[in-house]
Amino acid sequence: MITVKDKVVIITGAGQGIGKGFAESLASDGAKVVIAEINEEKGKQVANDIKSAGGDAVFVATDVTKYGAVQSMVSATISTFGKIDVLINNAAFYYNITRAPFVDLSEQEWDRMMAVNVKGTWNCCRAVAPQLIKQGSGKIINMASASAFKGNSNFLHYVASKGAVISMTRALARELAEMGGNGITVNAIAPGSTETGVREKLEDILQKLPGDKKNTGPMASRILKRPETVEDIVGTMLFLVSDASDFITGTIIAIDGGSSLH
Ligand SMILES: NC(=O)c1ccc[n+]([C@@H]2O[C@H](COP(=O)([O-])OP(=O)(O)OC[C@H]3O[C@@H](n4cnc5c(N)ncnc54)[C@H](O)[C@@H]3O)[C@@H](O)[C@H]2O)c1
């Protein structure tokens, strides 16, 4: 049976969108969740809503770009729950990014992207590693993106950052298996463009782009011609958190209605 009951799961960026959906679903299935979010108001709200619904959650204000803050979040998790079963590296610079040809992206935005999506993932992995190694068990789930397989236009900084997340997933799977006596796994989920209700629909953003770029929306390349939702991703996440996935490592699971098959 697939169960996540009593698993201690850190979810970065769980104040909204996919991470919030993960936190709510894990908590309702009996996991103890840590909302590691930079936005205090949103992070607290998610933790409070989970607790009001009878779940177990704690909010820890965390900026994943700052290693000291991530270390404090990890210490808070261990002192609250006594262990770490899973880290979900979900925080990203995403919903409010600039979508533009690569020559028009600012250096400042490029650096921010790499700081949150790439360095942030590394920071969280290196902060939890000592505890996972001590336990001889644990799982890391990184949020990649199908856009890294497809090489989508108009957000090169984001696509590049998710390419890095995919490569880090593979390398970390090797390193942590060795360090953790074969009890630590590292995998990634690569969603397609997912409607979370947070940002403007991608279809609408694309319609504002000039000329031939208008018809390159996510549905065009998808085998399953319908919008992707957070619920489409949750089942795979629960499986990866559970013991049922213990022998899977270094894998990138595309959840994109088949769009990266082309
Ligand atoms: N929504 C999609 O279409 C889609 C598609 C593929 C992959 N993804 C990936 O899934 C994950 C979640 O996507 P989403 O749509 O919910 O994103 P989102 O932008 O709506 O949410 C990201 C969350 O991360 C938080 N965050 C940002 N910087 C942070 C920092 N420095 N420290 C801690 N938290 C920080 C934000 O406050 C926010 O709550 C991301 O990794 C994203 O790249 C999303």
Side-chain angles (χ1 to χ4, degrees):
M1 195 181 85
I2 293 178
T3 177
V4 298
K5 193 163 170 24
D6 296 329
K7 296 279 186 200
V8 175
V9 186
I10 297 168
I11 310 150
T12 65
Q16 66 179 35
I18 295 172
K20 176 175 178 249
F22 281 1
E24 290 169 347
S25 153
L26 280 161
S28 75
D29 282 6
K32 300 166 195 300
V33 298
V34 177
I35 315 292
E37 165 64 56
I38 197 169
N39 184 318
E40 294 215 19
E41 200 187 324
K42 288 187 176 174
K44 269 185 193 154
Q45 186 67 51
V46 173
N48 289 340
D49 288 348
I50 288 173
K51 284 188 270 187
S52 305
D56 208 344
V58 63
F59 164 69
V60 186
T62 313
D63 178 351
V64 297
T65 69
K66 307 273 186 316
Y67 187 53
V70 175
Q71 281 182 306
S72 302
M73 179 274 290
V74 168
S75 301
T77 302
I78 297 165
S79 60
T80 307
F81 294 125
K83 60 170 183 168
I84 299 170
D85 293 305
V86 184
L87 161 69
I88 304 181
N89 279 311
N90 168 82
F93 180 24
Y94 181 59
Y95 79 98
N96 54 354
I97 61 173
T98 302
R99 289 176 195 264
F102 76 95
V103 288
D104 297 330
L105 296 170
S106 73
E107 201 169 325
Q108 190 191 22
E109 190 161 319
W110 179 278
D111 290 345
R112 179 80 192 147
M113 185 65 73
M114 295 304 149
V116 179
N117 297 15
V118 182
K119 188 178 172 189
T121 298
W122 173 54
N123 277 343
C124 293
C125 290
R126 63 186 175 131
V128 299
Q131 178 66 20
L132 303 193
I133 292 165
K134 193 168 124 193
Q135 295 169 178
S137 68
K139 292 169 186 252
I140 295 176
I141 303 169
N142 293 326
M143 290 304 284
S145 167
S147 64
F149 297 132
K150 294 186 283 181
N152 294 63
S153 320
N154 295 312
F155 52 173
L156 188 75
H157 51 345
Y158 179 75
V159 172
S161 76
K162 293 300 178 176
V165 168
I166 289 170
S167 299
M168 285 197 291
T169 300
R170 295 190 170 130
L172 281 163
R174 290 183 199 280
E175 290 198 39
L176 280 166
E178 213 167 283
M179 293 172 183
N182 300 312
I184 303 173
T185 65
V186 188
N187 292 290
I189 291 173
S193 177
T194 307
E195 301 300 345
T196 65
V198 171
R199 68 185 158 85
E200 195 182 355
K201 288 192 168 138
L202 185 57
E203 301 284 358
D204 298 336
I205 297 167
L206 288 163
Q207 282 308 311
K208 289 181 195 157
L209 289 170
D212 60 346
K213 301 279 187 301
K214 283 193 198 310
N215 295 318
T216 55
M219 226 87 90
S221 62
R222 231 170 242 177
I223 294 174
L224 304 177
K225 304 280 185 204
R226 68 160 176 83
E228 178 165 355
T229 66
V230 178
E231 289 68 38
D232 288 316
I233 308 168
V234 159
T236 303
M237 178 277 299
L238 291 172
F239 168 66
L240 287 177
V241 167
S242 80
D243 296 346
S245 62
D246 276 0
F247 204 58
I248 300 176
T249 199
T251 294
I252 320 299
I253 303 179
I255 308 174
D256 62 351
S259 68
S260 54
L261 202 65
H262 296 263

